[in-house]
Amino acid sequence: MPPLDIACISILLLLSVVALSPLLSRRERLLIPTAFSLAALASFAAVLAGFLTIQQGLNSAATIPLGLPGLPFNIRLDPLAGFFLIVIGLLAGYVSIYSIGYLRAYPGRRPVTPLVLFYLLFLAGMLMVVLADDAYFFLLSWELMAAASYFLVMYEDEKAENRRAAYIYLLVAHVGAIAILLSFGLMAGLGSGFDRFDGYTFDAMRTARLAPGWAAAAFFLAFFGFSAKAGVIPLHVWLPEAHPVAPSNVSALMSGVMLKTSIYGMVRVAFDLLRDFPWWWGGIVLAFGLLSAVLGVLYALMQHDLKRLLAYHSVENIGIILMGLGLAMIFTSFHFPALAALALVAALYHTLNHALFKGLLFMGAGAVIHATRERNMEEMGGLIHKLPWTAALFLVGCVSISGLPPFNGFVSEWLTFQAFLLSPALPHPLLRLLVPLGAALLALTGALAAACFVKAFGVTFLGTWRGHRKASQIHEVGISMRLGMTLAAVSCLGLGVLPTYVIGWMDIIPERLFGGQIAASAGRFGWMWLTPYSYERASYSGPVVFGGILAVVAITYLLLHVRGTAIRRAPLWDCGFERITPRMQYTATAFAMPLRRVFGFLFAIREQVEIVSPQNHPVMADRFNYRLRIRDRFWNWLYTPLADGAFIVARLVGKLQQGRIQVYLLYSFVTLIVLLVFLG
Amino acid sequence: MTVHPFAIELLQLLILIGLSPAFAGWVKVVKCRLQGRSAPGILQPYRDIRRLFIKDVVLAENASWIFRFTPYLAFGVTVLAGGIIPLVSVDLPLAATADIIALVMLFAIIRFFTALAGMDIGTAFGGMGASREMMISSLAEPAMLMAVFTVSLASSSTSLTQMVTTMGQGQFMIRPSLAFALIAFIMIALAETGRIPVDNPATHLELTMIHEAMILEYSGRYLALIEWAGMMKLMLFFSLGIAAFCPWGIAANGDLLALALGVAFFVLKLMLGGVIMVLIETGMAKMRIFRVSEYLGSAFLLATLGMMAFFILE
């Protein structure tokens, strides 16, 4: 069966489950396993389709006679689309398995059918976006995806916080969608004339040649629109609001793969539809990538809500992906196809990696919330004893996202470093000097991410329990949740240890887009050694690092256990105090304090210490009340003025609204006269 | 007569594992002499490690597997790093395992897990040490990368053997970029290995310790492994500096004579490097934790200056 058919069947399967699931709405305990098993099946079918496409290097297109008369839907499956099918399908499959257990707690508390429906629609929407080969179908799918995810964020709509988050999300998503629509309009209209409809296919846009100014306008409109969806700073504000309030399986999908559809859009528009661009486009993409990465991770460090912290990390990782993308654009514009291929592969590899480890982390956070009914890390602690599986799997996610070998996050960050360090080849003196500084910012990002995940894992899972509930009420999560997380964790390790295979196999994507290849050099020394540019330049061997660490650890362990030494368990050393309480442990806020001081100028911080003393004397303090509020500066700098401005404009325009029919008739009359004068 | 590359690899690991306590002892002896105290002898670290291995382990009740796994991991990763950095010869089969960026990340794994182990038992000290260590490392890492990048510009490679070969066999020339990078590297290495002026390995004073605070609860063989890994790490940072900035004398192939010469040169350079570090440590006081950001910021600036010097002058 051709891959395109498999992909279509996968989408049809999802849509038919959508159609049929209301029938089971009275038997939700049956609906959940059925619907999500089918969703997992459809997702893995999409993975298969993507895999075959890349494996065989296919580029197949089809026209579906649906849609408006004269405007049929065009779909196409090329290696780039195939790669994103894999990214979406792989994580969606794992998350669907996880959802079977995750949603088991819901029936009886609230109706699950809408969640199932919109989940499936959301999934279908994402797959359709990737397959679309014309602007019309693309935007239709894009909106399906946005609307479905809006309802998913709204799912627990009794909380005002959730409604607000969903509203902000919808607003930003639509501002972005308008920009994308305008961008496609420019490309279609300027390419083949505004009076015809046939310019709307991507094929027509590929052949159209735009004037440089208009091309830049089209690209930056698209970049703006996709950035709004991806959460690039300063358009990131919806992300830390929407991700925490959505159910965790939905946050895993939104953060893991929905953001990636905008990366797909950027690659498609830049490398496939426009193709010819000057270096400064890439420079701007790179600059926004750096900004998002550094600020994203710094904001993440300040959070104590586990899911909010993860949401800010999505901003950071999108930034890292954009760095690779920006570098690829710069290298392409100076005609270095091999270097551009390295940067693009780094970006795409990080896209896949981020989908997996962020999905894993959100699933882990979901498991923690499921077990403790708590989102605030300050109320957790010591969960490694209660949730041993979740803890180990969450740790895999933490190590991966911190970019530590031998896991997958390291490989893609290392490739991005290599792309940065190859920038002295550029013929532009300014770029040669400035681009390497980007590598330093990437290093800063990676190190801060490691600090943040030491905090997240340490405060949540290590130490002793700080919460109000009894620790004995907390139990490990069910088998399907563990299975979903385990699969993601194993993928993280696999992608980290055997990158050479994956890169050799992905190589066709840059080759089709701009004729650059890296596989020949990347795999020259066999599957063990990854040498992205040349052997003399740099090399990394995942298997040796993994095997070497494992071997030395095993040997040391065995050598030390030849002679049995006893382990004596003893209470904590309490420094002579009477007893240590869990409240004396370092909290998330305390952990981040040194970095808050170093980078404090980036945040709007308000810190208050209030001394409560019955004797009304500071020396006789009974208790200290400490209040800390950290806000995103972008709210004050950008969004509050915008919202105020919109309000003022709305009030001015509102004066037109008189509420009297005569006035409205007058408006119509004047409009008619004006139109007659101009068009007549 | 030539030696097989795998034998060289083995020799390197033996030197690293066997000599790192002696090096730590050497540093201690020189320091004592310089500060007018009587020294415990160069072999004292061996005696310490032996004593710790014999002792039983006392483990906090709350400690999880992370706490018990970390010492092994620290030891394993350090040994692996020792197989990658060219100490006495460039002819290493494992050298291609990681370039210098990956090597920095290998050390980051140790730090990550040590910080977690510090938080595992649930005392304020552990969290304090972890928090401070992660702050320092996140500021040190960009500076480290800039220094590395400046060095790699000369050989246009981040592979360590390649850097050593270009530096050692190329024509000797004074490069201003390398001078800046060297100063930056020394500053960062002091921070990364927890020496004065950033951290003091000899202190157990509550408010000033960083690395010691994280490993405060360790005992017996766990502590021995961590201490040993720490000594190896100190030696490896010296080797990294030697490889990047003055690799002269290192064996280019498996020739027995060249190898012997390589070992001799390596030991000499280490001893000299130890003296320099002791001079820095004795001449300076430990700085406040919030001054470290300025210290590492200036290291970053120096490394960046080095890079600019390369583009402008060379």
Side-chain angles (χ1 to χ4, degrees):
Chain A
M1 201 189 296
L4 189 59
D5 292 3
I6 302 178
C8 291
I9 288 174
S10 151
I11 293 172
L12 280 180
L13 179 62
L14 288 170
L15 293 177
S16 50
V17 179
V18 169
L20 294 178
S21 56
L23 298 178
L24 277 175
S25 67
R26 289 183 177 278
R27 310 200 42 199
E28 287 185 330
R29 293 209 174 276
L30 184 64
L31 171 70
I32 294 171
T34 327
F36 283 107
S37 323
L38 288 172
L41 189 69
S43 311
F44 290 132
V47 174
L48 180 69
F51 181 77
L52 290 177
T53 311
I54 295 183
Q55 194 70 20
Q56 301 166 2
L58 296 176
N59 185 354
S60 41
T63 305
I64 303 175
L66 286 172
L68 295 176
L71 283 179
F73 293 153
N74 294 293
I75 56 173
R76 178 186 294 277
L77 189 55
D78 60 357
L80 178 66
F83 179 76
F84 279 87
L85 277 186
I86 294 175
V87 173
I88 296 168
L90 205 56
L91 185 68
Y94 298 160
V95 171
S96 299
I97 295 173
Y98 170 89
S99 303
I100 298 173
Y102 182 74
L103 293 182
R104 200 168 283 159
Y106 281 92
R109 287 206 289 131
R110 53 183 313 121
V112 184
T113 318
L115 182 66
V116 175
L117 272 180
F118 288 119
Y119 180 94
L120 296 166
L121 274 177
F122 178 46
L123 219 56
M126 287 194 288
L127 294 176
M128 277 152 60
V129 164
V130 174
L131 284 182
D133 195 36
D134 64 59
Y136 176 43
F137 189 48
F138 184 93
L139 283 166
L140 206 73
S141 321
W142 189 260
E143 285 301 295
L144 176 67
M145 178 178 90
S149 51
Y150 165 75
F151 286 109
L152 291 171
V153 174
M154 268 290 260
Y155 179 59
E156 292 174 38
D157 57 358
E158 69 276 6
K159 292 183 197 138
E161 177 196 8
N162 298 14
R163 293 197 298 270
R164 178 170 170 270
Y167 174 70
I168 295 176
Y169 169 51
L170 196 67
L171 203 68
V172 177
H174 277 96
V175 171
I178 292 170
I180 298 171
L181 179 68
L182 287 175
S183 161
F184 282 144
L186 278 181
M187 283 190 275
L190 293 169
S192 42
F194 281 101
D195 46 354
R196 297 203 324 232
F197 270 140
D198 45 3
Y200 81 108
T201 60
F202 285 173
D203 257 343
M205 294 183 199
R206 276 184 197 107
T207 50
R209 289 277 73 97
L210 269 60
W214 285 115
F219 175 72
F220 283 105
L221 275 171
F223 181 61
F224 175 83
F226 289 125
S227 297
K229 195 66 157 193
V232 175
I233 284 178
L235 297 169
H236 66 291
V237 286
W238 65 270
L239 225 130
E241 304 295 323
H243 285 302
V245 301
S248 293
N249 54 344
V250 174
S251 341
L253 276 190
M254 282 178 71
S255 185
V257 291
M258 187 189 76
L259 305 185
K260 307 300 152 44
T261 56
S262 32
I263 298 296
Y264 166 76
M266 289 178 199
V267 176
R268 180 65 83 195
V269 168
F271 288 105
D272 192 18
L273 301 187
L274 289 167
R275 277 187 306 205
D276 253 353
F277 41 76
W279 66 265
W280 58 271
W281 293 15
I284 288 178
V285 173
L286 178 62
F288 274 102
L290 291 169
L291 184 76
S292 298
V294 174
L295 287 186
V297 70
L298 280 171
Y299 281 125
L301 260 167
M302 299 303 132
Q303 309 304 320
H304 49 80
D305 177 330
L306 193 53
K307 285 177 80 176
R308 225 177 143 84
L309 179 144
L310 293 177
Y312 270 118
H313 272 288
S314 298
V315 176
E316 173 223 330
N317 279 286
I318 287 290
I320 295 177
I321 297 170
L322 285 191
M323 288 180 204
L325 209 58
L327 284 173
M329 291 176 72
I330 293 176
F331 284 133
T332 318
S333 64
F334 285 110
H335 305 290
F336 288 105
L339 302 189
L342 170 62
L344 188 70
V345 163
L348 292 180
Y349 204 34
H350 200 68
T351 307
L352 176 61
N353 290 340
H354 178 246
L356 288 168
F357 58 63
K358 187 49 69 66
L360 170 61
L361 286 168
F362 264 115
M363 287 192 271
V368 168
I369 294 164
H370 189 83
T372 62
R373 314 237 163 83
E374 187 68 64
R375 250 168 45 194
N376 185 354
M377 294 193 318
E378 314 283 36
E379 303 286 332
M380 299 179 192
L383 291 178
I384 195 169
H385 303 290
K386 298 286 171 191
L387 308 168
W389 280 92
T390 309
L393 296 169
F394 195 84
L395 182 64
V396 170
C398 290
V399 175
S400 305
I401 198 173
S402 306
L404 299 176
F407 287 90
N408 59 355
F410 168 73
V411 177
S412 42
E413 279 185 30
W414 186 74
L415 287 173
T416 315
F417 271 125
Q418 296 302 339
F420 267 117
L421 299 195
L422 284 165
S423 61
L426 291 172
H428 198 286
L430 188 68
L431 284 178
R432 250 194 324 218
L433 213 56
L434 285 183
V435 172
L437 289 177
L441 287 181
L442 178 59
L444 177 67
T445 309
L448 287 173
C452 191
F453 278 95
V454 166
K455 173 185 111 165
F457 189 82
V459 174
T460 310
F461 288 98
L462 302 178
T464 48
W465 174 245
R466 304 179 176 83
H468 300 298
R469 290 180 78 213
K470 277 211 187 93
S472 56
Q473 291 173 327
I474 298 165
H475 298 293
E476 179 61 279
V477 294
I479 184 82
S480 81
M481 289 170 80
R482 273 185 272 162
L483 181 64
M485 291 191 281
T486 309
L487 287 171
V490 170
S491 313
C492 282
L493 184 62
L495 286 173
V497 173
L498 299 171
T500 317
Y501 278 129
V502 189
I503 287 170
W505 165 84
M506 271 166 69
D507 202 40
I508 192 163
I509 304 170
E511 196 203 331
R512 286 285 164 84
L513 290 177
F514 46 74
Q517 271 181 312
I518 62 163
S521 59
R524 188 178 301 151
F525 291 84
W527 59 276
M528 281 233 302
W529 309 95
L530 177 62
T531 49
Y533 189 65
S534 71
Y535 180 73
E536 291 77 30
R537 177 90 214 181
S539 56
Y540 169 70
S541 169
V544 174
V545 168
F546 182 60
I549 295 176
L550 220 60
V552 182
V553 167
I555 292 171
T556 326
Y557 183 84
L558 288 177
L559 281 181
L560 287 179
H561 286 75
V562 175
R563 187 179 60 87
T565 41
I567 287 185
R568 193 156 58 83
R569 290 274 182 173
L572 271 184
W573 163 235
D574 55 7
C575 301
F577 274 114
E578 225 163 75
R579 72 196 173 93
I580 298 184
T581 70
R583 286 278 147 211
M584 292 176 185
Q585 297 175 86
Y586 247 49
T587 57
T589 314
F591 188 93
M593 183 269 186
L595 283 164
R596 194 162 64 233
R597 256 184 84 165
V598 175
F599 295 100
F601 60 94
L602 291 169
F603 309 98
I605 297 178
R606 203 198 292 157
E607 206 171 3
Q608 286 176 317
V609 181
E610 190 188 321
I611 301 168
V612 184
S613 66
Q615 278 80 27
N616 216 0
H617 192 279
V619 179
M620 306 285 200
D622 191 33
R623 176 153 71 82
F624 291 91
N625 287 340
Y626 176 72
R627 274 196 205 91
L628 176 70
R629 207 195 58 174
I630 301 164
R631 284 194 62 173
D632 212 323
R633 274 204 195 271
F634 287 96
W635 274 110
N636 295 341
W637 285 352
L638 194 63
Y639 288 87
T640 318
L642 262 181
D644 292 348
F647 197 62
I648 292 169
V649 171
R651 270 228 297 256
L652 287 177
V653 175
K655 286 194 180 138
L656 287 175
Q657 188 189 14
Q658 299 285 336
R660 290 217 310 267
I661 189 96
Q662 293 92 326
V663 180
Y664 293 145
L665 283 174
L666 185 69
Y667 289 161
S668 317
F669 182 67
V670 172
T671 312
L672 267 177
I673 298 289
V674 170
L675 283 177
L676 279 175
V677 167
F678 276 100
L679 300 176
Chain B
M1 189 192 149
T2 55
V3 183
H4 194 269
F6 281 98
I8 303 178
E9 188 76 70
L10 211 64
L11 173 74
Q12 268 218 172
L13 291 182
L14 283 180
I15 289 179
L16 173 73
I17 298 174
L19 284 189
S20 55
F23 177 59
W26 164 253
V27 169
K28 222 170 256 174
V29 166
V30 176
K31 201 171 187 177
C32 286
R33 283 286 149 77
L34 210 64
Q35 297 176 346
R37 296 181 279 145
S38 59
I42 204 164
L43 297 178
Q44 185 59 31
Y46 292 103
R47 291 193 281 267
D48 287 340
I49 289 176
R50 187 166 160 272
R51 176 175 48 92
L52 286 172
F53 271 128
I54 291 171
K55 281 194 163 190
D56 279 354
V57 176
V58 182
L59 206 59
E61 276 160 355
N62 195 38
S64 71
W65 62 267
I66 291 199
F67 190 78
R68 301 173 63 177
F69 172 66
T70 300
Y72 296 105
L73 185 77
F75 192 79
V77 174
T78 320
V79 169
L80 180 72
I84 297 166
I85 303 176
L87 307 183
V88 295
S89 166
V90 286
D91 195 11
L92 296 173
L94 280 185
T97 301
D99 69 340
I100 192 161
I101 301 173
L103 204 66
V104 171
M105 290 298 168
L106 279 179
F107 287 116
I109 304 182
I110 306 177
R111 193 184 309 119
F112 188 87
F113 274 89
T114 316
L116 284 184
M119 300 188 79
D120 192 15
I121 14 132
T123 60
F125 283 143
M128 188 168 73
S131 158
R132 290 176 177 177
E133 175 93 354
M134 292 320 281
M135 177 198 84
I136 291 173
S137 74
S138 52
L139 297 173
E141 224 155 82
M144 181 77 178
L145 195 92
M146 268 335 254
V148 163
F149 183 48
T150 308
V151 180
S152 77
L153 277 174
S155 56
S156 64
S157 166
T158 54
S159 142
L160 268 167
T161 46
Q162 199 63 30
M163 283 174 160
V164 171
T165 318
T166 351
M167 278 282 278
Q169 288 163 8
Q171 231 175 3
F172 179 79
M173 58 185 281
I174 293 175
R175 293 175 182 274
S177 64
L178 285 189
F180 282 116
L182 177 64
I183 301 174
F185 178 82
I186 291 175
M187 291 172 79
I188 302 153
L190 287 173
E192 291 263 5
T193 50
R195 313 296 299 196
I196 292 175
V198 175
D199 187 8
N200 184 355
T203 187
H204 281 102
L205 188 66
E206 288 92 333
L207 295 176
T208 56
M209 58 183 173
I210 300 172
H211 182 75
E212 290 299 316
M214 291 193 294
I215 60 169
L216 204 56
E217 290 286 328
Y218 275 111
S219 58
R221 58 169 179 268
Y222 295 137
L223 186 58
L225 282 177
I226 287 211
E227 294 282 356
W228 203 345
M231 293 172 200
M232 288 198 285
K233 188 180 168 191
L234 182 66
M235 186 160 148
L236 285 179
F237 261 90
F238 271 93
S239 324
L240 203 59
I242 292 171
F245 296 100
C246 68
W248 296 283
I250 197 165
N253 47 37
D255 187 51
L256 204 57
L257 185 69
L259 212 58
L261 220 62
V263 175
F265 266 112
F266 178 67
V267 172
L268 260 176
K269 283 184 222 166
L270 265 188
M271 287 172 71
L272 199 67
V275 173
I276 294 174
M277 188 183 76
V278 169
L279 284 176
I280 296 175
E281 282 205 305
T282 313
M284 292 181 106
K286 188 183 168 307
M287 63 175 78
R288 277 188 71 207
I289 183 115
F290 290 109
R291 298 295 298 276
V292 173
S293 58
E294 293 160 28
Y295 170 83
L296 289 170
S298 32
F300 177 77
L301 217 64
L302 280 171
T304 314
L305 275 177
M307 192 192 73
M308 288 180 174
F310 180 87
F311 283 128
I312 295 167
L313 300 176
E314 290 167 30

